[in-house]
Amino acid sequence: LYKSTGDMDWLRKVYFIIKNSTEDDLNVVWDYQKYLFKGESSFLDWREQSYPKWMEPIDIYNSYNLGTQAVHYQSLQVLIKMGKILGKDVQKYQDISEALKNSLNEKLWLPEKKYFGQYLYGRKNQLLSDKSETLGEALMVLWGITNEERQKEIISNTPVTKFGTPCFYPQIPNIPAYHNQAIWPFVQAYWNWASSRTNNVESIQWGIANMLRSSALFLTNKENLLIENGDFNGTEINSDRQLWSVAGSLSTFYRILM
């Protein structure tokens, strides 16, 4: 809103709101030893869909998810930009964001797979999941949280399927389709946008084709689609005119084609 209107009163108001929220995060979920934020995935919030069944809420709280780290990092960047305009001392947040960026690249990168792992998890000794998390991978590219070489490797190596980018890969057996066994158009949109940032034309063309295919076949913007056949029929929950699917479709035109 500030960038659209230049309203300094608005900027001063929301700066303190975001600063207070950030301080809450630093007090509750920031790990001062690992330099990572605790907590579950940003939208993969139906726990059995994307976490092992043995994990209880406390285990998920004590895990470190890729996409969640990316959102925290970008939130810090926004806070820093606001603070600089307002003449505030933001050195603390710059230091934390830099520590987060370095830790994320050090602890969650899978060098043999050339993409980031979905999360660090476990109890006594934490392990890095070797699953990819498509939204998190895309945000690492879009927000420049990793270097250009890794950005290109992410787009070239993160697993995809015939009908689009899965929420994560590989899938969890014997769990019905929703986040698991499914493609979400809004995630596909972020993937397309990230692909354009690395000039991966093959990935962009494939991504746009998948976005257009689903909306053209079903004459609406579905919430999610099955990996196995690209159909919406068979997912646990779904809806027509899903707003973030609509927004993802529009953004593919605005941010890539135009």
Side-chain angles (χ1 to χ4, degrees):
L1 282 168
Y2 165 75
K3 289 173 74 174
S4 297
T5 65
D7 187 339
M8 290 295 289
D9 289 336
W10 166 256
L11 191 67
R12 278 187 285 270
K13 178 180 178 180
V14 297
Y15 172 78
F16 284 107
I17 294 171
I18 295 174
K19 181 176 181 290
N20 288 340
S21 297
T22 300
E23 289 295 336
D24 285 345
D25 290 337
L26 294 175
N27 286 328
V28 178
V29 293
W30 174 245
D31 187 321
Y32 282 88
Q33 278 71 51
K34 283 190 170 66
Y35 300 131
L36 294 169
F37 285 93
K38 296 180 179 183
E40 69 173 349
S41 311
S42 59
F43 87 101
L44 302 171
D45 55 357
W46 190 349
R47 284 91 190 160
E48 70 171 11
Q49 288 278 327
S50 52
Y51 289 96
K53 282 190 173 182
W54 64 263
M55 290 183 73
E56 297 178 359
I58 185 63
D59 299 308
I60 295 173
Y61 165 78
N62 281 315
S63 66
Y64 306 85
N65 172 263
L66 175 66
T68 300
Q69 307 306 314
V71 171
H72 278 292
Y73 177 84
Q74 185 65 3
S75 176
L76 286 164
Q77 300 312 301
V78 172
L79 181 64
I80 290 165
K81 289 177 182 177
M82 287 180 162
K84 286 182 175 179
I85 294 169
L86 294 170
K88 305 294 183 181
D89 181 3
V90 293
Q91 188 62 50
K92 171 184 176 180
Y93 305 117
Q94 289 177 317
D95 292 343
I96 290 170
S97 69
E98 192 63 26
L100 171 60
K101 181 178 181 178
N102 292 336
S103 186
L104 189 46
N105 278 281
E106 176 188 338
K107 294 180 172 71
L108 270 72
W109 180 250
L110 293 165
E112 71 283 0
K113 294 185 178 291
K114 293 183 170 53
Y115 53 75
F116 286 95
Q118 186 178 9
Y119 41 62
L120 280 169
Y121 72 117
R123 289 182 178 170
K124 294 290 186 183
N125 299 292
Q126 289 198 321
L127 299 171
L128 176 58
S129 169
D130 63 359
K131 291 178 183 287
S132 62
E133 187 220 327
T134 305
L135 180 60
E137 312 286 355
L139 296 180
M140 293 295 288
V141 174
L142 288 170
W143 291 333
I145 311 175
T146 194
N147 62 45
E148 289 188 8
E149 180 182 356
R150 283 190 176 180
Q151 290 176 25
K152 292 178 180 179
E153 288 177 338
I154 287 167
I155 299 300
S156 298
N157 292 284
T158 299
V160 298
T161 69
K162 181 178 180 181
F163 295 103
T165 55
C167 295
F168 53 84
Y169 190 93
Q171 309 307 298
I172 302 175
N174 305 316
I175 296 293
Y178 184 58
H179 295 134
N180 189 55
Q181 305 285 357
I183 295 154
W184 287 54
F186 98 89
V187 175
Q188 181 71 61
Y190 274 105
W191 184 257
N192 296 350
W193 189 12
S195 297
S196 72
R197 286 291 177 89
T198 67
N199 296 313
N200 190 321
V201 176
E202 183 180 5
S203 182
I204 297 166
Q205 290 177 330
W206 167 86
I208 292 175
N210 279 301
M211 293 284 289
L212 293 176
R213 174 195 168 277
S214 60
S215 57
L217 265 181
F218 307 125
L219 302 180
T220 188
N221 294 95
K222 287 290 186 180
E223 182 180 17
N224 48 66
L225 309 156
L226 293 173
I227 280 179
E228 60 189 26
N229 57 18
D231 197 350
F232 67 90
N233 190 25
T235 58
E236 289 291 280
I237 304 173
N238 218 314
S239 64
D240 294 332
R241 302 177 298 281
Q242 176 61 233
L243 283 179
W244 57 3
S245 298
V246 174
S249 182
L250 288 170
S251 75
T252 296
F253 287 91
Y254 292 146
R255 299 187 186 281
I256 300 174
L257 292 174
M258 290 184 179

